[in-house]
Amino acid sequence: MNPGSPAPAGGGGFIILGTFLVGLMLSQMPLPYLIEWARPEWVAMILIYWVMALPHRVGMGTAFFLGLFLDVIKGSVLGLNALSLTIIAFLTLLLHQRLRMFPVIQQALMVMVLVGINQLLFHWMQSFTGYTGDNLIFLLPCLISALLWPWLFVVLRGIRRLFRIR
């Protein structure tokens, strides 16, 4: 290995974990009240990317523990994010071979659908705990996430190629 070259091929568990930590930090970053509802679902998008790119390394178990951690950070009922992210990981695992063949714009549409399912599941489960919303503004993050997907995809793919994560 050359002195200035990145990590050896196949490794990268810490890099994947680092991207999830960045996603968790971005999900908790303070935003002005007017755009709080438009916060992209960073953790779900990063999870979708890694499940799509490396389904043998990142899957439903990762999604479950990531969701539990997100529940603790957000202070929501334990298991709400865990269940919704696990379902998103399952759906992405089912579709990962097709998603990889799609152009980035078509992937963005699928990300909008997957994040929309995540939002609907989370909102539906929150309604059981007493939280009820009377409008559909909770679906706005799926549109924002789809708009940001091409850039996030390029950044994560660049990280994966730079560190030769397989």
Side-chain angles (χ1 to χ4, degrees), residues 56-118:
H56 59 282
R57 292 188 67 182
V58 179
M60 292 171 38
T62 304
F64 181 77
F65 287 111
L66 193 61
L68 283 178
F69 196 64
L70 194 59
D71 284 329
V72 170
I73 288 174
K74 287 188 173 185
S76 61
V77 175
L78 196 61
L80 291 184
N81 280 302
L83 181 60
S84 63
L85 286 179
T86 303
I87 291 171
I88 296 310
F90 173 72
L91 292 173
T92 306
L93 279 169
L94 286 178
L95 299 170
H96 82 274
Q97 290 178 335
R98 290 183 195 152
L99 284 172
R100 292 170 80 167
M101 292 178 23
F102 289 165
V104 178
I105 300 302
Q106 200 169 1
Q107 284 179 5
L109 293 174
M110 285 304 298
V111 166
M112 183 171 72
V113 169
L114 289 170
V115 172
I117 290 170
N118 179 47

Side-chain angles (χ1 to χ4, degrees), residues 13-153:
F14 287 115
I15 303 298
I16 295 171
L17 179 64
T19 59
F20 283 129
L21 289 176
V22 168
L24 288 166
M25 286 189 298
L26 287 172
S27 72
Q28 295 306 304
M29 185 175 64
L31 291 176
Y33 179 74
L34 293 174
I35 59 172
E36 180 69 32
W37 282 99
R39 178 188 305 273
E41 286 295 319
W42 294 107
V43 176
M45 287 193 304
I46 293 170
L47 178 69
I48 289 168
Y49 175 80
W50 286 117
V51 171
M52 182 179 69
L54 302 170
H56 59 282
R57 292 188 67 182
V58 179
M60 292 171 38
T62 304
F64 181 77
F65 287 111
L66 193 61
L68 283 178
F69 196 64
L70 194 59
D71 284 329
V72 170
I73 288 174
K74 287 188 173 185
S76 61
V77 175
L78 196 61
L80 291 184
N81 280 302
L83 181 60
S84 63
L85 286 179
T86 303
I87 291 171
I88 296 310
F90 173 72
L91 292 173
T92 306
L93 279 169
L94 286 178
L95 299 170
H96 82 274
Q97 290 178 335
R98 290 183 195 152
L99 284 172
R100 292 170 80 167
M101 292 178 23
F102 289 165
V104 178
I105 300 302
Q106 200 169 1
Q107 284 179 5
L109 293 174
M110 285 304 298
V111 166
M112 183 171 72
V113 169
L114 289 170
V115 172
I117 290 170
N118 179 47
Q119 294 296 100
L120 285 169
L121 284 170
F122 187 77
H123 186 72
W124 178 63
M125 289 184 287
Q126 271 189 328
S127 69
F128 290 134
T129 63
Y131 170 79
T132 56
D134 55 352
N135 55 24
L136 295 176
I137 198 158
F138 69 90
L139 289 174
L140 188 58
C142 67
L143 177 64
I144 303 300
S145 298
L147 292 173
L148 292 175
W149 174 256
W151 290 279
L152 182 69
F153 177 82

